[in-house]
Amino acid sequence: MHDVISFEKVSFRYPDEENWTLNDFSFAVQKGSRVVVTGPSGCGKTTLLYLCNRLYPDNCDGILTGNIELFGKDSRTFIAGEINHRIATVFQDPDAQFCMQTVEEELAFTLENLQVKREEMENRIKEVLALTNLTDFRYSIIQQLSGGQKQQIATACALIMEPEILLLDEPIAHLDPYTAKRYIEWLDQLQQNRQMTIVAIEHRLDLWGDFFDRIIPLSESDEPSILPKRMTSIKPEISIQATKIETKTFLKPASFSLQRGEITILAGPNGSGKSTLLKALCHLIPRNGLIEPTFLGYVPQSPEFLFLTKTVQDEVAYGGGYGVDNMLQRLKLMDIAASHPFSISHGQKRRVAIAAMLCDGREVILMDEPTSGQDAAALSELYQLIDERAHDGTTFLIVTHDMEFAYCLADSIILMEDGSLTGKFPALAVWENEKLLLEHHLLPPKGLMQCEKSFA
């Protein structure tokens, strides 16, 4: 097998940064192989992908040294856009790559850029939708879909180009556990059938099993830490009361209450309405119903939507909160405190948004996928911060597909399916109910299974 990607002593840094994001880095990827790149948040994983597909340095002012070869040819000799149909990319934030309103239009737009003949487009679109199990979404408006559904559509847009190399930046981060498992099985079959080369970025490899041939670590290792099962911090008084919260288009009337200091996980399949419910509670979308209190903190799935200032430090301090320096230190943001919040990694952006909300002193905090893009050290610190704040009386409602993180934190679980709130349950009642887990596309956490073995 010959090399399709080759880096020889490659260094790269952004124009406003003194430190090299990649420094004297060499590696090679053989045709048809499956490679995963791991490492702490902000260590340069996404930058590496962008050098592989020529997005960098073609579309930024970064400084690049060393030699990069793609398909045995100096990467600098490819003309603009030439490489992009041979190397397709699924970005960490799928919203960043959509241009059109509907799924069909997005797929057609991709083919138009490749100058595919109109008479060929219909078959190509049908084939890729069938391949990705998205036929029912052909005419859907992309921005009305869930983050996980968008991720699948972004993958379809990449595959419709029939690439030789597929670059994936945390492809299962926004997928529910069941869908993630199916996605990996489907990708495994697809790679075997098409003999594609796959290069992926991933923090957690537990769901991938033996999918990858090779692991390339950047910087120090990122072994998952074992988080302890926390002691409950629930206090008797009601902290949040939601009554018949609904939207006209999707969300059916949902009523629930959370107690002070309670940590509740909001879980369910992709597209079940979890993010919609959080936005409705915050009145970010039109809704009916009552919510008390109305002063809620919110960390969205796309954290950059919150950013208003020019530095990470100013962003965290923007709400006039307290303990800014301590929060920067604990969430591993001090080294980038002077950086622009749009210039940092996806995982770092998420931690900036979390830090800003934790410093803001809100009594109720809603978080949408806070663990996405986080390395083991950041997850451990986030767990401790949430635990501490809950014991101080802060109430949390957290959307996550990370069942290990949920198992360690949750007092209770609210389940959703098809726009409806299935119910609110004690956490253990969900973990031990196989039928409930299956119906909501969840897998039992490994922490529970290990605990059961230790008492067997």
Side-chain angles (χ1 to χ4, degrees):
M1 289 289 185
H2 61 274
D3 293 341
V4 289
I5 299 174
S6 176
F7 281 45
E8 184 178 355
K9 295 184 177 180
V10 171
S11 297
F12 180 87
R13 68 178 174 87
Y14 297 95
D16 297 331
E17 301 289 336
E18 293 183 4
N19 297 324
W20 294 93
T21 304
L22 292 175
N23 190 11
D24 203 29
F25 179 71
S26 299
F27 88 124
V29 177
Q30 290 187 321
K31 178 180 171 59
S33 61
R34 307 175 181 191
V35 175
V36 62
V37 181
T38 66
S41 178
C43 72
K45 301 184 298 297
T46 298
T47 299
L48 175 63
L49 285 199
Y50 289 176
L51 290 170
C52 290
N53 64 13
R54 292 295 298 168
L55 188 63
Y56 290 171
D58 289 354
N59 295 282
C60 80
D61 295 325
I63 299 163
L64 174 67
T65 64
N67 184 53
I68 299 176
E69 288 190 357
L70 303 173
F71 305 106
K73 181 179 173 183
D74 189 328
S75 65
R76 292 170 295 185
T77 63
F78 289 94
I79 62 174
E82 181 185 358
I83 203 67
N84 298 108
H85 71 284
R86 300 182 69 183
I87 302 179
T89 308
V90 179
F91 295 91
Q92 195 172 50
D93 180 5
D95 283 315
Q97 65 191 90
F98 296 136
C99 301
M100 309 303 288
Q101 186 175 29
T102 70
V103 174
E104 180 187 57
E105 290 169 345
E106 188 67 34
L107 291 169
F109 180 71
T110 302
L111 294 175
E112 285 172 355
N113 284 327
L114 295 176
Q115 299 182 342
V116 174
K117 294 179 180 178
R118 182 172 292 275
E119 55 268 25
E120 295 179 23
M121 286 187 181
E122 178 63 19
N123 284 338
R124 292 272 288 268
I125 290 172
K126 279 184 177 179
E127 285 174 5
V128 79
L129 288 173
L131 186 67
T132 53
N133 298 315
L134 291 170
T135 300
D136 292 343
F137 293 89
R138 177 167 180 164
Y139 305 107
S140 298
I141 296 173
I142 294 173
Q143 292 309 321
Q144 291 180 355
L145 300 176
S146 73
Q149 289 166 336
K150 289 176 182 177
Q151 195 82 0
Q152 292 171 287
I153 291 161
T155 305
C157 290
L159 291 172
I160 203 169
M161 294 189 285
E162 300 179 350
E164 298 168 58
I165 300 175
L166 184 61
L167 306 179
L168 303 168
D169 198 345
E170 295 203 54
I172 62 172
H174 298 297
L175 301 182
D176 64 66
Y178 176 78
T179 303
K181 191 174 180 181
R182 285 183 56 197
Y183 178 93
I184 293 165
E185 291 170 352
W186 162 78
L187 193 64
D188 176 58
Q189 192 63 46
L190 180 74
Q191 193 275 340
Q192 291 184 52
N193 291 341
R194 294 192 174 182
Q195 291 300 301
M196 279 192 309
T197 303
I198 294 177
V199 181
I201 289 173
E202 190 58 74
H203 279 294
R204 297 193 56 183
L205 298 175
D206 49 336
L207 281 176
W208 289 89
D210 59 358
F211 179 89
F212 295 107
D213 305 322
R214 183 176 164 212
I215 298 175
I216 298 176
L218 291 187
S219 191
E220 67 267 22
S221 62
D222 186 31
E223 293 295 324
S225 56
I226 300 175
L227 302 177
K229 186 78 175 70
R230 68 181 291 275
M231 300 295 291
T232 186
S233 53
I234 297 178
K235 297 168 177 59
E237 59 267 35
I238 297 295
S239 175
I240 177 173
Q241 179 69 54
T243 306
K244 295 184 178 179
I245 302 296
E246 64 176 324
T247 62
K248 289 183 179 179
T249 55
F250 181 62
L251 188 65
K252 301 172 182 68
S255 299
F256 64 91
S257 63
L258 304 180
Q259 291 172 248
R260 187 165 172 254
E262 185 174 2
I263 299 177
T264 301
I265 298 298
L266 181 57
N270 289 122
S272 60
K274 303 182 296 297
S275 296
T276 301
L277 177 58
L278 291 196
K279 291 174 184 176
L281 292 172
C282 296
H283 227 314
L284 293 175
I285 55 175
R287 50 90 166 160
N288 297 318
L290 299 173
I291 176 74
E292 290 289 341
T294 57
F295 190 60
L296 307 174
Y298 174 57
V299 180
Q301 201 173 84
S302 297
E304 56 267 25
F305 290 156
L306 289 182
F307 297 157
L308 296 168
T309 69
K310 293 183 179 180
T311 71
V312 166
Q313 172 121 17
D314 289 345
E315 198 62 46
V316 175
Y318 183 78
Y322 59 93
V324 171
D325 285 348
N326 178 58
M327 191 62 64
L328 289 169
Q329 194 70 46
R330 293 190 65 176
L331 285 174
K332 311 294 186 290
L333 298 170
M334 190 61 79
D335 289 345
I336 57 167
S339 299
H340 197 290
F342 282 96
S343 71
I344 58 181
S345 77
H346 185 75
Q348 290 168 331
K349 288 177 183 177
R350 197 169 295 273
R351 294 205 301 280
V352 170
I354 292 169
M357 206 51 63
L358 289 175
C359 283
D360 207 25
R362 308 289 175 106
E363 293 182 3
V364 179
I365 296 179
L366 316 180
M367 293 182 172
D368 199 345
E369 297 285 2
T371 68
S372 176
Q374 304 309 314
D375 58 46
L379 276 181
S380 179
E381 197 60 56
L382 178 60
Y383 162 87
Q384 303 223 11
L385 281 165
I386 292 173
D387 181 42
E388 290 169 15
R389 290 301 175 89
H391 278 92
D392 289 340
T394 303
T395 302
F396 290 89
L397 180 59
I398 302 171
V399 171
T400 184
H401 292 307
D402 186 338
M403 291 299 101
E404 309 309 317
F405 191 74
Y407 170 73
C408 295
L409 275 177
D411 295 306
S412 56
I413 298 176
I414 292 176
L415 293 176
M416 293 193 70
E417 187 175 17
D418 195 27
S420 294
L421 192 151
T422 307
K424 182 186 175 189
F425 308 87
L428 191 59
V430 174
W431 305 138
E432 294 182 339
N433 190 322
E434 291 184 11
K435 183 174 182 290
L436 209 56
L437 290 170
L438 183 62
E439 288 173 347
H440 294 85
H441 286 196
L442 305 176
L443 298 174
K446 291 184 175 63
L448 175 67
M449 294 186 283
Q450 290 168 356
C451 183
E452 288 175 344
K453 286 180 182 178
S454 67
F455 287 100

